[in-house]
């Protein structure tokens, strides 16, 4: 893969409207975008109509629709891609839940990777609601959760994207997990 400065240059050219830079950028980052999609979908049921390739393509379309984005570098681009993919997965879960019969709140079991792999649309929506609450009170913690859970970043990678130390990222990750569990379970968590 090309170096980060080369990727940054391609991003800048793409934002200026260079279509060849856009194609080159997505070609170079397609494998990483596909990995992000797999990470976002790791909790979806087998046979789900939303696969990783479809998720990458839908994210690409949404990126093109948001042409006014100010993307700084490769890490920022991938973090935004993870956020876009998360929104797509949540929208897909909402549509699936609506098509089903609906339902009320659901109990969600928290594990090391935040939620178990057998989650369904209700669980995705419960996590999304909890993450929105966390984002309102602790935006950086919510960003760390998005990068760790939806993008599959390590603590060190998330820290680098956010420009903070690994130690700070680890501490905020631990606090975020407790707060999310409290929000999902409906119990207030200590901050």
């Amino acid at each position: 893969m090309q170096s980060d400065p080369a990727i940054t240059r391609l991003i800048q050219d793409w934002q200026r409207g260079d279509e060849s830079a856009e194609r080159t950028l997505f070609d170079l980052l397609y494998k990483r975008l596909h990995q992000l999609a797999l990470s976002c979908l790791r909790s979806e049921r087998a046979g789900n109509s939303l696969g990783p390739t479809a998720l990458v393509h839908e994210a690409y379309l949404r990126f093109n629709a948001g042409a006014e984005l100010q993307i700084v570098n490769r890490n920022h681009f991938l973090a935004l891609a993870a956020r876009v993919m998360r929104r797509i997965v949540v929208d897909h879960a909402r549509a699936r839940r609506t098509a089903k019969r609906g339902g009320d709140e659901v109990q969600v079991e928290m594990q090391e990777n935040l939620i178990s792999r057998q989650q369904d649309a209700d669980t995705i929506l419960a996590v999304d609601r909890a993450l929105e609450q966390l984002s309102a009170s602790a935006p950086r913690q919510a960003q760390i959760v998005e990068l760790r859970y939806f993008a599959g970043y390590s603590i060190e990678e998330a820290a680098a994207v956010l420009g903070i130390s690994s130690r700070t990222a680890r501490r905020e990750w631990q606090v975020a997990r407790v707060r999310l569990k409290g929000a999902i379970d409906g119990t207030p968590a200590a901050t």
Side-chain angles (χ1 to χ4, degrees):
M1 177 176 290
Q2 289 189 0
S3 67
D4 280 348
I7 297 290
T8 300
R9 199 170 316 109
L10 282 170
I11 289 170
Q12 291 167 347
D13 292 346
W14 168 48
Q15 290 181 318
R16 283 195 227 48
D18 183 344
E19 290 182 15
S20 67
E22 174 187 359
R23 283 189 301 277
T24 303
L25 175 67
F26 279 93
D27 286 346
L28 287 172
L29 293 179
Y30 184 82
K31 185 175 180 178
R32 182 63 179 122
L33 291 170
H34 201 269
Q35 291 170 341
L36 285 176
L38 284 170
S39 182
C40 283
L41 294 172
R42 71 177 174 233
S43 58
E44 290 288 301
R45 291 185 191 131
N48 182 8
S49 63
L50 184 63
T53 301
L55 183 55
V56 170
H57 291 203
E58 179 66 25
Y60 174 78
L61 292 174
R62 290 197 187 182
F63 262 113
N64 277 341
E68 300 301 314
L69 293 172
Q70 295 302 312
I71 302 170
V72 179
N73 58 29
R74 177 184 181 273
N75 285 337
H76 187 223
F77 175 83
L78 293 173
L80 287 174
R83 181 172 287 167
V84 167
M85 288 181 190
R86 173 183 154 235
R87 296 292 350 144
I88 293 166
V89 170
V90 168
D91 291 346
H92 191 263
R94 280 193 183 112
R96 193 170 54 214
R97 185 174 182 207
T98 300
K100 219 165 94 174
R101 64 189 167 284
D104 290 37
E105 299 300 312
V106 65
Q107 283 285 355
V108 178
E109 180 182 331
M110 296 292 287
Q111 297 189 358
E112 179 58 30
N113 66 352
L114 289 184
I115 49 182
S116 69
R117 293 180 180 261
Q118 288 79 31
Q119 69 185 357
D120 59 5
D122 292 333
T123 305
I124 292 170
L125 294 175
V127 170
D128 183 59
R129 281 190 301 271
L131 194 52
E132 291 298 324
Q133 290 173 0
L134 180 63
S135 183
S137 61
R140 188 165 68 186
Q141 289 177 6
Q143 289 176 312
I144 291 171
V145 171
E146 284 181 336
L147 292 170
R148 294 271 296 138
Y149 183 72
F150 291 99
Y153 280 32
S154 68
I155 287 288
E156 292 73 20
E157 291 168 328
V161 168
L162 297 174
I164 59 176
S165 71
S166 294
R167 187 175 182 174
T168 299
R170 189 169 284 108
R171 184 178 60 247
E172 298 236 0
W173 167 246
Q174 291 171 345
V175 172
R177 289 180 59 225
V178 170
R179 294 179 77 186
L180 281 175
K181 181 169 181 5
I184 291 169
D185 292 345
T187 59
T191 57

